[in-house]
Amino acid sequence: MTIPARVEDPLRSPLVRAGLVASLIYLFLVGVSSLESGIGHLGGNTQEALFSSVRNPLAGLFIGILGTVLVQSSSASTSVIVGLVASGALGFEYAVPMVMGANIGTTVTNTLVSLAHARRSFEFKRAFAAATVHDFFNVAIVAILLPLELTTQAISRLAQRISEPLVGSAGTEWKSPVKAWVKEPVGWLEDLWSGVGAVGNTLGALLVVCGIVTVLLALALVTKSMRRLVAARVEQSLNTALGKGSGIVALLVGVAITISVQSSSITTSMLIPLSAAGVLSLRNAYPVTLGANVGTTITALLAALATSRPEALTIALVHTLFNIGGILLLYPITPLREIPIRAAETLAKVAVERRLLAVAYVVGTFIVVPLVGVALLR
């Protein structure tokens, strides 16, 4: 009896998967361009109605949290924000708080992962602390840097100084070579919907929907493919960071892993089972999560390349500077660095004794408070 030869899955080849990732990134850029084009087709009254709820900076912060919780990805939500800023539909001063809100919203994933250990008290205590240290750090830097930004525009001004030599000043257009590459597929989409009778606001709405769906789908597939492509390297990098025992090394590993897998949620969620098992201490997991904060900003920077307005790159740089600034502000000074750690440990002790409070914390922080905030401030 002849045994049939085993057929290898072509997607297992690193070269093929790398090509797939490159194609998906291109699709992601097409989605951002479609979103920008769609908003441009919407009438002024429609734009005002769509975004009237973010005419208050705090409302923008809460919308950023809710939007990121909804899609489970700060990369996706900040990419959409970049597209809205590029189209001129979302004011820069309201986009900044939304980006900061996305930073808080992205921490919900690893916090939910920690709840899976709720049946084992010792594991749950370590896992919940490792998850919520990310929450407390991000809330702390928003509490410090958002008021600073609202009063002085320090972060946005620095971002503007960096972006102006590269793409020009706000209010102008720059000829992005990336946008030229993605313009033709967006034109095909416009022709497709125009061919079935869509014009004006209808055409704009369809392009916006196509853009958002494409961005979310492409990012999800990129994340899945990159995770498979670099899974072994990710594990090796984490082990190296643990062996070094250095906060700076762990922070840089967090940056590298997140850029590789295009998702801070994956990076931080990988730390939870390690922390629960006692393999990784809270103080070693902490800098990896901070590195993940910085690494996730690469997606918004990439999205800005598919647009034609300098403001898009500026808001993407705000996201990067905000995360780097938060690390420089809190991490080097030991008493400040300890604040999120102590808060996470205290909350974990309470959560072990009253597990329903852990669930209430997640629902309240990431859903109830933002919803009430938007309702009151819009």
Side-chain angles (χ1 to χ4, degrees):
M1 180 178 178
T2 304
I3 300 175
R6 184 179 177 181
V7 179
E8 292 290 336
D9 181 0
L11 289 180
R12 289 184 179 273
S13 166
L15 187 61
V16 173
R17 192 167 290 280
L20 176 62
V21 168
S23 301
L24 290 170
I25 290 175
Y26 176 77
L27 186 63
F28 161 74
L29 295 173
V30 170
V32 173
S33 185
S34 175
L35 175 61
E36 180 188 8
S37 179
I39 293 291
H41 280 283
L42 294 175
N45 292 335
T46 304
Q47 291 181 14
E48 180 65 26
L50 281 172
F51 303 109
S52 59
S53 60
V54 290
R55 293 310 180 217
N56 180 298
L58 288 179
L61 174 71
F62 291 129
I63 288 172
I65 295 173
L66 286 171
T68 306
V69 169
L70 181 65
V71 299
Q72 290 284 288
S73 170
S74 62
S75 296
S77 58
T78 53
S79 297
V80 171
I81 292 168
V82 166
L84 295 177
V85 171
S87 69
L90 181 61
F92 192 83
E93 64 275 25
Y94 305 111
V96 172
M98 289 177 71
V99 165
M100 294 185 181
N103 246 45
I104 295 175
T106 193
T107 65
V108 70
T109 306
N110 56 314
T111 307
L112 289 172
V113 169
S114 71
L115 297 179
H117 299 271
R119 291 186 178 183
R120 299 178 179 88
S121 295
F122 288 110
E123 286 188 16
F124 182 51
K125 184 178 178 180
R126 291 189 291 254
F128 199 68
T132 55
V133 73
H134 196 195
D135 304 354
F136 283 114
F137 178 83
N138 282 350
V139 170
I141 61 173
V142 168
I144 296 169
L145 294 181
L146 180 57
L148 177 68
E149 171 63 19
L150 293 178
T151 54
T152 68
Q153 290 79 51
I155 302 174
S156 54
R157 285 179 179 176
L158 179 57
Q160 197 168 12
R161 287 184 181 180
I162 297 172
S163 66
E164 277 186 0
L166 300 173
V167 296
S169 57
T172 62
E173 285 197 9
W174 72 291
K175 294 183 179 180
S176 166
V178 175
K179 183 168 184 178
W181 299 338
V182 300
K183 186 176 180 180
E184 191 170 358
V186 176
W188 295 340
L189 270 177
E190 291 187 23
D191 293 341
L192 172 66
W193 294 121
S194 297
V196 296
V199 294
N201 287 344
T202 303
L203 175 60
L206 288 169
L207 288 174
V208 167
V209 170
C210 287
I212 292 175
V213 170
T214 302
V215 165
L216 296 179
L217 180 62
L219 274 180
L221 293 174
V222 165
T223 298
K224 184 178 180 180
S225 296
M226 287 300 292
R227 189 177 187 182
R228 290 181 178 177
L229 186 63
V230 300
R233 295 182 182 90
V234 165
E235 186 177 350
Q236 184 180 2
S237 298
L238 271 176
N239 289 334
T240 301
L242 293 175
K244 295 284 185 181
S246 165
I248 300 300
V249 171
L251 196 150
L252 293 175
V253 167
V255 174
I257 291 174
T258 305
I259 291 175
S260 298
V261 299
Q262 288 289 293
S263 172
S264 61
S265 296
I266 287 179
T267 304
T268 55
S269 295
M270 285 192 306
L271 302 176
I272 304 306
L274 294 175
S275 299
V279 174
L280 183 62
S281 71
L282 177 58
R283 281 169 173 75
N284 283 338
Y286 182 30
V288 180
T289 65
L290 305 191
N293 273 359
V294 177
T296 195
T297 66
I298 190 68
T299 310
L301 292 169
L302 185 63
L305 298 178
T307 69
S308 56
R309 288 174 65 106
E311 293 92 333
L313 180 59
T314 304
I315 192 63
L317 286 169
V318 164
H319 192 201
T320 304
L321 293 173
F322 167 69
N323 283 307
I324 293 175
I327 292 171
L328 295 177
L329 191 65
L330 292 186
Y331 193 74
I333 305 170
T334 302
L336 295 179
R337 180 168 67 237
E338 288 291 311
I339 292 174
I341 294 175
R342 297 286 174 84
E345 288 175 337
T346 301
L347 182 60
K349 288 179 183 177
V350 175
V352 168
E353 295 175 1
R354 294 180 177 86
R355 286 169 173 76
L356 283 179
L357 286 180
V359 177
Y361 163 79
V362 175
V363 175
T365 301
F366 297 104
I367 299 175
V368 176
V369 171
L371 280 174
V372 172
V374 171
L376 294 176
L377 295 171
R378 57 178 299 163

